[in-house]
Amino acid sequence: MTRRLISSGSRFEAEIGYSRAVVDGDWIFVSGTTGYDYATMTIAEGVEDQCEQAFRNIAAALRQAGAEVADVVRATFIVPRREDWEPCWPVVRRWFGEVRPASTLLHAGLQADAMRIEIEVTARLRRQQGDKG
């Protein structure tokens, strides 16, 4: 199977040299994704709203790859401020409550001060019944 690149349309992907996601075989690797709304070219102030938008951005990339959030097996959350993590729990639970991927939380600076959370995921395409392998 060939490697396929998924783009969100962000100019940064070409300028910096990365893809929103890469599909390699059954695996989908989604880059760190912030709460930036590409439709309005804005980012919300609140961390909960940013978390929700980041998940919408991730879900869109997964759909382009032929997957869904239920296929996520690994997640990494990055927040610059420790106090921003707990307010995100209800949002994370809405998206991952049934999926429950392995996950890690990191505290680190992000690209811009306005960014309050970044989420990176790895997903695996589910094989259709009858597929070998």
Side-chain angles (χ1 to χ4, degrees):
M1 195 172 258
T2 60
R3 185 171 121 146
R4 184 165 52 106
L5 307 179
I6 305 290
S7 176
S8 67
S10 166
R11 67 180 176 88
F12 298 114
E13 292 169 21
E15 287 179 16
I16 297 171
Y18 72 96
S19 295
R20 170 59 42 221
V22 175
V23 181
D24 192 339
D26 291 340
W27 293 99
I28 304 163
F29 304 92
V30 181
S31 292
T33 304
T34 64
Y36 198 77
D37 184 340
Y38 298 109
T40 62
M41 302 303 279
T42 59
I43 191 163
E45 284 187 32
V47 70
E48 297 96 333
D49 290 337
Q50 286 190 28
C51 187
E52 185 70 40
Q53 183 62 52
F55 273 111
R56 286 194 296 265
N57 293 342
I58 289 165
L62 289 170
R63 276 192 303 276
Q64 287 183 59
E68 56 191 49
V69 173
D71 297 316
V72 173
V73 296
R74 181 88 175 117
T76 301
F77 301 91
I78 306 163
V79 293
R81 304 179 206 162
R82 291 180 193 276
E83 65 271 15
D84 277 350
W85 178 229
E86 192 169 344
C88 291
W89 292 0
V91 178
V92 175
R93 191 169 37 256
R94 274 195 304 278
W95 286 89
F96 280 162
E98 296 297 316
V99 180
R100 296 183 59 185
S103 66
T104 299
L105 169 68
L106 301 171
H107 295 284
L110 299 178
Q111 178 67 30
D113 290 339
M115 296 174 178
R116 310 231 341 240
I117 189 166
E118 186 169 326
I119 306 167
E120 174 186 278
V121 303
T122 302
R124 185 159 189 214
L125 291 168
R126 296 172 188 215
R127 296 187 182 272
Q128 299 298 320
Q129 243 181 356
D131 284 353
K132 302 276 187 206

